Amino acid sequence: MTDLDRLEKNLLQQIEAADSEEALESVRVQALGKKGQVSVQMKSLGKMSPEERKQKGPLLNGLKARIGEAIGARKEQLERAALEARLANERADITLPIRPLPKGKIHPITQVAEEVAVIFADMGFEIREGPDMEDDFHNFTALNFPPDHPARELHDTFFLERQEGADPMVLRTHTSPVQIRTMMSEKPPLRVIIPGRTFRCDSDQTHTPMFHQVEGLVIDKQTHMGHLKGTLNAFIEAFFEVDGVETRLRPHFFPFTEPSAEMDVRYSRVGNELRIGQGDSWMEILGCGMVHPNVLKNCGLDPDEYQGFAFGMGIDRLAMLKYGIPDLRDMFAADARWLEHYGFDALDQPNLATGLSR
Ligand code: DAH
């Protein structure tokens, strides 16, 4: 074995034995650094005779290359081992709350609108929206309100200043005009809910000039009143998060539905608390019915081919009932303390899997 072979064997052993990146680095300096054992040999080439250099040169170059490679390979091994050790030891706790804790709450109306959307989305409904400023045609005429009929007055309508030659405009008094917009622009089968702002000239503990409704519309060929009741019962159970809610349909009148009904839900009052679902009293909760044939015709649908149901309810009222909010006007008072009390955590998105509200 030559001196060079011995040197190589020795260095390779040291490389193999290096058990940290620092230890390996010191072996590298010892071998390939300026004064390293291999470098010193390389320098000696200068002092050799041409023949000797011819013979030793390739040997030394080979040695240098092999040692360099062995160090590189060992380095990679050590780095991988270090990474694996870190991965095994370190934990990122992604359950930690954000600090400082987020400020601001979700308004109960937004919360309830989202809860309603989640429940109906689960039943296959899509969301549609329409403009706050409506023309007389969509808000009344197409919905089968006869011209100059007192029902138009019943809505305490805000009329907008009349423009020459244009259809009179109103702030929409209900979300029902979006039924018309949907039926005129889309083909059945339709299954939509329509949340949004509505406006009536009225103000007391349970009325504000601006409030919120959600409308439902289902149009298909054989949709009937049983589907209406089943859908609304399923909604009410999911929304109030109670099983076995008892409801009844009580005959009523709306120009755009025939037959029309109001849905009442059983409830009881225990102390200060309303218990929705069971009890001796009935509470009106929404309006509904089968879409009137005239409304279908006004939207270009053949009432001999299509039929369906519609319903409408107040989002704010649902929020007051579910979350025990006594005065509707507080909802719009922009009082931060009120929102702190009645608001919802922005990170808790309502969903049916983990619960609608917390
Ligand atoms: N638009 C009615 C209102 O504001 C509520 C309503 C009742 C909507 C019956 C409907 C319905 O779609 O079928 O008082």
Side-chain angles (χ1 to χ4, degrees):
M1 196 183 252
T2 66
D3 286 353
L4 277 188
D5 289 338
R6 219 167 287 126
L7 175 62
E8 179 166 353
K9 192 167 167 226
N10 186 305
L11 285 174
L12 289 176
Q13 268 167 4
Q14 286 186 51
I15 290 168
E16 200 49 45
D19 58 2
S20 70
E21 290 181 61
E22 297 77 55
L24 182 66
E25 176 58 13
S26 85
V27 178
R28 189 192 66 78
V29 172
Q30 223 190 97
L32 304 176
K34 253 190 191 153
K35 293 183 183 144
Q37 289 165 290
V38 177
S39 312
V40 170
Q41 296 279 342
M42 298 294 282
K43 270 186 204 135
S44 70
L45 283 173
K47 293 185 201 115
M48 290 176 191
S49 66
E51 285 75 41
E52 213 183 345
R53 197 179 305 139
K54 222 184 207 164
Q55 188 238 333
K56 276 263 175 108
L59 289 179
L60 275 172
N61 276 328
L63 168 67
K64 188 180 168 194
R66 287 192 297 280
I67 295 298
E69 263 168 40
I71 289 174
R74 181 70 186 146
K75 189 163 187 260
E76 225 181 276
Q77 268 178 4
L78 289 170
E79 279 171 357
R80 201 172 321 124
L83 179 64
E84 266 158 28
R86 268 185 68 188
L87 287 175
N89 285 324
E90 287 181 10
R91 287 257 182 290
D93 184 356
I94 57 170
T95 65
L96 273 178
I98 299 166
R99 292 191 190 278
L101 287 170
K103 282 241 160 62
K105 292 272 182 99
I106 296 294
H107 196 285
I109 292 175
T110 307
Q111 168 79 15
V112 166
E114 278 173 17
E115 293 181 16
V116 171
V118 162
I119 295 166
F120 281 106
D122 192 57
M123 293 194 252
F125 284 68
E126 294 176 18
I127 294 183
R128 295 292 179 273
E129 288 180 310
D132 290 354
M133 284 189 280
E134 247 325 342
D135 51 35
D136 182 84
F137 171 78
H138 289 93
N139 198 78
F140 293 122
T141 310
L143 286 164
N144 200 36
F145 285 76
D148 305 317
H149 190 277
R152 293 182 187 228
E153 306 304 317
L154 284 183
H155 275 196
D156 298 311
T157 312
F158 285 113
F159 292 95
L160 299 181
E161 212 170 300
R162 201 156 178 177
Q163 303 290 313
E164 259 319 285
D167 202 14
M169 298 289 286
V170 300
L171 291 181
R172 65 177 178 194
T173 56
H174 49 178
T175 41
S176 305
V178 192
Q179 285 189 33
I180 303 299
R181 291 184 177 277
T182 307
M183 284 188 276
M184 290 181 91
S185 62
E186 297 177 43
K187 287 213 154 14
L190 295 173
R191 227 189 273 177
V192 298
I193 58 161
I194 302 151
R197 279 191 189 91
T198 46
F199 306 84
R200 291 185 201 181
C201 189
D202 204 355
S203 183
D204 59 34
Q205 192 178 344
T206 53
H207 297 87
T208 47
M210 189 279 297
F211 57 108
H212 299 82
Q213 288 190 338
V214 59
E215 190 87 9
L217 176 69
V218 173
I219 302 286
D220 206 337
K221 294 192 170 165
Q222 291 169 7
T223 303
H224 55 68
M225 205 107 181
H227 296 135
L228 168 63
K229 185 158 189 188
T231 303
L232 291 175
N233 277 355
F235 164 72
I236 288 167
E237 288 199 350
F239 179 74
F240 288 107
E241 304 179 52
V242 282
D243 290 330
V245 169
E246 211 184 318
T247 60
R248 71 177 181 195
L249 288 175
R250 182 170 34 74
H252 198 74
F253 172 79
F254 299 106
F256 36 89
T257 40
E258 182 57 38
S260 301
E262 280 188 331
M263 186 175 245
D264 298 338
V265 58
R266 264 199 198 279
Y267 78 100
S268 58
R269 199 177 276 280
V270 184
N272 254 348
E273 198 192 328
L274 275 189
R275 298 249 171 98
I276 305 281
Q278 257 110 42
D280 297 331
S281 320
W282 291 101
M283 183 184 336
E284 180 251 311
I285 188 146
L286 55 86
C288 59
M290 298 302 294
V291 177
H292 198 293
N294 287 348
V295 174
L296 294 170
K297 271 188 239 160
N298 291 340
C299 298
L301 295 175
D302 179 357
D304 291 329
E305 188 178 1
Y306 291 110
Q307 59 185 38
F309 63 78
F311 57 86
M313 54 197 159
I315 294 181
D316 323 62
R317 178 125 183 285
L318 287 175
M320 290 170 80
L321 285 175
K322 181 164 177 181
Y323 295 115
I325 299 168
D327 193 318
L328 178 62
R329 291 166 296 194
D330 293 337
M331 295 250 200
F332 310 113
D335 183 334
R337 292 162 310 171
W338 183 90
L339 192 57
E340 183 58 37
H341 180 77
Y342 285 107
F344 292 82
D345 191 325
L347 296 174
D348 280 337
Q349 290 283 323
N351 73 81
L352 293 177
T354 60
L356 286 176
S357 56
R358 265 183 279 167

